[in-house]
Amino acid sequence: MYDYQNEPHRVIFMIDSKSFYASVEAVEMQLNPLRAILVVMSAAENTGSGLVLAASPMAKKIFGISNVTRARDVPIDDPRLIVAAPRMNLYIQENLKINRIFQQFTAEVDIHPYSIDESLLDMTDSWHLFGATPHEVARQIQLTVKKATGIYLTVGIGDNPVLAKLALDLEAKKNHSLIAEWHYEDVPDKLWPITQLADVWSIGQRTADKLNQRGIQSMADLAPVSYTHLTLPTTERV
């Protein structure tokens, strides 16, 4: 077991606004974002017949729609499905509103927007002001944003930004609470067994396929492999 004692131990929240564009549109229609059957779909010429930019959880569940699904594969004639045009200015304003709410829980300098629907919060110096545990504080942030905007948040908590992001993507999104907490000591049990490499942040499907071709089937297989070995041409590998 690797000794993590000397690694930096901070309290990092990686927060995702769940199905953000679709959720904003659902709230605008006075619908519950988790129950609405809705997609946000563009119709720009450079996307052919159109492209799904966001799908609500129920649209994903019922129709199997995902982000970047082509319009031709969307059952737009089904009366259950709501199709909304994208409104980027509205999404930007909602994102700014949510990040201002984060300032109620930590200093502005400790808030780092990662994308229009994700932000990283360093809660190390402030979480204890709002609850007994980081998990409890994460729940308070969820409830505060939900009350103000109608948007549901998913929260990954970690000792560093990478662990927080992994907790968010690999566990929190599957939990009923939409919260998960990963520490260094959890890595062997939670990260190493993962075999769907494309599910891991920064590993796309093409990269996962290449790793599989080189005999790397899990994160445990990948962990000890050196970067230089991965970048060598296949003929030079031993």
Side-chain angles (χ1 to χ4, degrees), residues 24-150:
V24 172
E25 294 294 344
V27 171
E28 288 288 303
M29 299 175 192
Q30 299 184 335
L31 301 173
N32 184 313
L34 298 185
R35 297 178 182 174
I37 308 171
L38 183 151
V39 295
V40 176
M41 190 168 68
S42 73
E45 291 182 2
N46 62 356
T47 63
S49 61
L51 191 69
V52 172
L53 303 181
S56 70
M58 288 301 291
K60 294 175 181 177
K61 180 179 180 179
I62 293 173
F63 296 111
I65 301 170
S66 64
N67 298 351
V68 307
T69 296
R70 294 286 179 178
R72 60 177 174 267
D73 299 319
V74 176
I76 57 176
D77 294 327
D78 192 304
R80 295 173 293 173
L81 182 65
I82 300 170
V83 179
R87 295 187 284 177
M88 294 307 300
N89 287 336
L90 174 61
Y91 309 148
I92 291 169
Q93 291 305 311
E94 288 300 302
N95 169 264
L96 293 173
K97 184 187 298 183
I98 291 170
N99 277 278
R100 284 194 293 269
I101 293 172
F102 294 157
Q103 293 178 35
Q104 299 176 23
F105 295 90
T106 194
E108 183 177 1
V109 69
D110 289 327
I111 300 171
H112 307 280
Y114 179 67
S115 66
I116 196 168
D117 61 352
E118 288 190 20
S119 289
L120 185 150
L121 279 59
D122 190 334
M123 299 291 296
T124 308
D125 298 324
S126 62
W127 73 264
H128 63 281
L129 301 174
F130 303 99
T133 65
H135 190 284
E136 184 178 308
V137 178
R139 182 59 178 157
Q140 285 195 43
I141 294 174
Q142 285 179 323
L143 293 174
T144 302
V145 170
K146 175 63 169 60
K147 182 178 180 180
T149 69

Side-chain angles (χ1 to χ4, degrees), residues 183-231:
H183 300 283
Y184 292 111
E185 293 77 15
D186 295 321
V187 168
D189 295 328
K190 293 187 175 183
L191 185 60
W192 293 162
I194 292 174
T195 56
Q196 297 298 320
L197 299 180
D199 291 345
V200 179
W201 175 58
S202 81
I203 301 179
Q205 188 58 58
R206 290 178 64 183
T207 298
D209 291 341
K210 291 179 180 178
L211 291 172
N212 291 161
Q213 291 167 9
R214 296 170 187 177
I216 298 171
Q217 305 298 326
S218 70
M219 290 300 291
D221 294 337
L222 179 60
V225 179
S226 71
Y227 171 78
T228 53
H229 180 75
L230 289 175
T231 55

